[in-house]
């Protein structure tokens, strides 16, 4: 096993998902804070879930890289496999997070607005 190939694979496996979650962070914090039943001071609830997303994304990608990484081939083969695994791990992690976040948003959008329902009830 080449130490350089192993280090390159680990570096890509960590950096890939961190970049993906960092890209989503500004909007993800807003959405997660809005979904909290009782928002906590300083968006603490949203920050907890964001940090959980980082751990999930990095750990998932590391598991893929350590399980399926190419450590014995050429440097370009190792880089190709590492990038492929990081992209797959990031995609799966972001897809899971998006699916879990979208379900409550979809329910909220489907529910009749409380402000519009209240005046209608008082007119009847």
């Amino acid at each position: 096993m080449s130490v350089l190939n192993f280090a390159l694979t680990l570096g890509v496996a960590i950096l890939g998902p961190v970049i993906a979650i960092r890209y989503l962070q500004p909007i993800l914090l807003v959405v997660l804070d809005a979904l909290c039943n009782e928002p906590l001071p300083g968006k603490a609830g949203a920050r907890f879930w964001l940090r959980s997303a980082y751990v999930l994304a990095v750990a998932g990608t590391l598991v893929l890289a350590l399980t399926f990484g190419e450590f014995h081939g050429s440097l370009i083969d190792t880089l190709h496999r590492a990038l492929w695994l990081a992209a797959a791990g990031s995609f799966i992690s972001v897809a899971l997070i998006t699916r879990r976040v979208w379900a409550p948003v979809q329910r909220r959008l489907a529910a009749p607005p409380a402000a519009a329902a209240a005046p209608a009830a008082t007119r009847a």
Side-chain angles (χ1 to χ4, degrees):
M1 170 172 49
S2 167
V3 175
L4 176 62
N5 289 356
F6 184 72
L8 178 68
T9 299
L10 293 182
V12 170
I14 292 169
L15 193 59
V18 166
I19 290 171
I21 300 295
R22 175 105 11 160
Y23 172 74
L24 292 171
Q25 183 173 340
I27 191 65
L28 192 56
L29 274 173
V30 172
V31 172
L32 289 172
D33 191 49
L35 291 175
C36 289
N37 288 338
E38 295 182 28
L40 299 171
K43 299 185 179 189
R47 291 190 188 283
F48 166 78
W49 290 113
L50 181 68
R51 288 179 183 181
S52 297
Y54 274 112
V55 171
L56 170 72
V58 170
T61 305
L62 279 174
V63 166
L64 286 175
L66 291 172
T67 304
F68 301 110
E70 178 64 48
F71 308 122
H72 303 290
S74 69
L75 187 60
I76 195 71
D77 289 338
T78 298
L79 183 59
H80 177 261
R81 176 69 63 101
L83 288 171
W84 192 92
L85 291 170
S90 296
F91 176 81
I92 292 167
S93 298
V94 170
L96 289 171
I97 292 165
T98 303
R99 185 177 173 136
R100 298 299 297 173
V101 169
W102 180 246
V105 170
Q106 194 173 22
R107 281 193 300 270
R108 185 178 280 184
L109 292 173
T122 57
R123 283 186 235 144

